[in-house]
Amino acid sequence: KQEWRLALLRSGSGENQRMLWIDYDSGERHSHADGMNIGLFAKGLDLIPEFGYPPVGYGGWESQKARWYTKTAAHVTVVVDGSDQKRINSGVTTLWADGKRFRAIRCSDPAMTGGSRYERTVALVDLDDKDSYVIDAFIVSGGKDHAKFFHSFFGSVETQGLTLDKSDDYGHETEMRDFRRDAKPSPSWFADWKIEDRYKYFQEPKNIHVRYTDLTADASAWLTEGWIDIQQYGGNGGTYIPRVMTRRTSPDANALTSAFVDIIEPYENEPNLGTPKRIALAGPDGTPSPETAIGIEIPRRDGRRDLCIIADTTVVEDASSPENTFRVQGALGFVTSGQNGPERIVLCKGTRLEIADLVLTAKQKSGCLEVVIDGTKA
């Protein structure tokens, strides 16, 4: 819905329906400063919920708690220099892919923050008819403090790859508390939510989780709690839910460029993915690509492996992973491989994809090509 700056990536059917959405404006009446905010419905629950209508019952529209709900930091997006986004509606769609097993969108609106880049790419990747995961890449340029926030539903959180120590609050008139920080987290650290079915949507208990794996380079990791109102949903007063902050800073104003990368997996009982990791990329002449050219390897528990390259098209639309003999001439390339080699390949806004000895070429750039490989047939 480009005029509304809202996109829905849908998959599955019946009780296995899932949907990833992104909202890429921050203006209009009754608006929040929530540009590039995302949400996810899966496993029968709203697993990345928007906080909702501001709780004006705590002192009116100008009360601290009501204003908290409208702030950029209350959403699953990036805050630049602690400031709320400008209330504007100029976001554009720069990539759209609506395939059978792979769906993606890239949105851009640097005017929200006044920097040179504010661009998010999200993809919903099907593992099978029941399960999917999300690839999330957010590039921000400008300012000297970039803070990316994430939260899920009610529940408890366990982390891996973090050594957390108490830290100062983020501040900026936000309603968060109990900040703990790891200045140098392990690569591929994650936070795993065990979801509480507080509103009893399920007739029988289910062991639903959301795993957030962060692949951002040179960033600190924070675990905190954010205040939400439960009074308007039949509860009593407010409560706090776990939130994650990934943060990058620079001493030089307007000099910082960040490439935030994460994998979000909803699952029941056991995760379907192994440990994702960043992979090094090179340009056509073999020189290392900048951090804003993103390569990811995602192993699956069934032995398959996914590779994804999200090229930085502001630099060059040609990126490769020599280690994986994987090259993309275009905006985005994706491959699922099994024991016998590539099984599915996706090329978005590109002309060529190479993986091992398989080559896909296009006469012209298309929105999305998705090809299933079955033996010698495509």
Side-chain angles (χ1 to χ4, degrees):
K1 308 291 185 182
Q2 294 190 59
E3 292 183 4
W4 291 352
R5 294 168 178 87
L6 176 69
L8 316 176
L9 306 176
R10 297 177 178 272
S11 183
S13 61
E15 64 180 11
N16 295 317
Q17 290 183 85
R18 52 263 192 201
M19 183 182 72
L20 173 70
W21 60 261
I22 183 167
D23 170 28
Y24 50 109
D25 66 7
S26 60
E28 291 296 345
R29 294 170 296 175
H30 291 275
S31 64
H32 297 182
D34 62 350
M36 305 297 170
N37 187 32
I38 65 169
L40 178 68
F41 290 82
K43 302 298 178 185
L45 294 172
D46 185 356
L47 292 175
I48 309 178
E50 151 74 34
F51 285 175
Y53 196 84
V56 296
Y58 293 84
W61 282 99
E62 295 304 315
S63 67
Q64 174 73 18
K65 286 180 166 51
R67 286 189 289 112
W68 159 238
Y69 266 43
T70 70
K71 294 182 72 65
T72 304
H75 298 84
V76 181
T77 188
V78 173
V79 180
V80 176
D81 292 342
S83 299
D84 288 339
Q85 298 162 351
K86 296 177 176 63
R87 300 300 182 92
I88 57 174
N89 298 303
S90 53
V92 295
T93 303
T94 59
L95 180 149
W96 174 251
D98 191 12
K100 297 292 186 183
R101 293 285 192 183
F102 184 92
R103 300 161 180 88
I105 186 170
R106 184 175 62 205
C107 312
S108 176
D109 193 352
M112 284 182 181
T113 60
S116 59
R117 294 185 74 177
Y118 199 67
E119 175 184 280
R120 192 169 202 170
T121 304
V122 289
L124 184 67
V125 182
D126 287 354
L127 295 165
D128 49 37
D129 291 338
K130 292 179 60 178
D131 289 293
S132 301
Y133 68 90
V134 174
I135 298 171
D136 179 22
F138 204 142
I139 297 175
V140 183
S141 290
K144 61 180 182 179
D145 183 347
H146 298 167
K148 178 174 176 289
F149 291 93
F150 179 85
H151 63 255
S152 186
F153 199 59
F154 295 105
S156 58
V157 168
E158 292 186 357
T159 63
Q160 184 170 302
L162 299 181
T163 302
L164 296 165
D165 296 314
K166 284 194 173 297
S167 178
D168 295 336
D169 284 1
Y170 178 67
H172 303 293
E173 297 184 326
T174 55
E175 287 285 313
M176 294 185 286
R177 70 179 188 186
D178 191 21
F179 280 83
R180 291 172 288 159
R181 171 177 175 256
D182 188 337
K184 294 185 177 180
S186 300
S188 303
W189 65 268
F190 67 76
D192 192 299
W193 272 255
K194 180 176 173 56
I195 301 300
E196 173 196 346
D197 181 19
R198 177 171 291 209
Y199 298 124
K200 307 303 179 187
Y201 289 115
F202 300 135
Q203 292 182 352
E204 300 292 335
K206 291 188 176 183
N207 185 23
I208 306 298
H209 289 249
V210 174
R211 179 166 293 188
Y212 172 93
T213 303
D214 199 290
L215 307 177
T216 307
D218 301 321
S220 57
W222 307 59
L223 193 63
T224 181
E225 293 182 334
W227 183 89
I228 61 168
D229 177 40
I230 57 173
Q231 184 169 294
Q232 58 186 321
Y233 303 110
N236 183 21
T239 189
Y240 286 82
I241 61 169
R243 305 191 84 212
V244 165
M245 178 173 68
T246 306
R247 193 176 191 181
R248 301 186 75 250
T249 58
S250 167
D252 300 324
N254 299 317
L256 184 60
T257 293
S258 298
F260 294 99
V261 183
D262 58 83
I263 304 296
I264 305 166
E265 184 196 2
Y267 67 90
E268 185 172 1
N269 297 324
E270 295 290 335
N272 297 295
L273 301 180
T275 301
K277 67 177 184 179
R278 292 284 292 272
I279 54 177
L281 298 181
D285 60 356
T287 58
S289 296
E291 280 293 317
T292 49
I294 296 164
I296 313 170
E297 178 181 348
I298 305 127
R300 303 187 184 190
R301 295 291 189 188
D302 64 6
R304 291 179 170 84
R305 181 182 68 153
D306 294 344
L307 295 172
C308 184
I309 288 178
I310 304 172
D312 186 348
T313 53
T314 66
V315 180
V316 62
E317 293 186 1
D318 192 324
S320 65
S321 168
E323 178 186 355
N324 295 285
T325 59
F326 181 30
R327 182 181 181 185
V328 175
Q329 291 174 277
L332 187 152
F334 177 87
V335 176
T336 296
S337 296
Q339 282 188 334
N340 299 316
E343 298 178 352
R344 184 180 302 269
I345 55 179
V346 177
L347 177 62
C348 298
K349 296 188 72 173
T351 55
R352 187 178 180 90
L353 184 151
E354 303 173 23
I355 179 69
D357 58 354
L358 187 150
V359 179
L360 170 68
T361 59
K363 292 181 180 180
Q364 60 186 13
K365 290 182 181 180
S366 64
C368 175
L369 292 170
E370 183 178 16
V371 181
V372 176
I373 310 299
D374 184 6
T376 59
K377 297 179 180 180

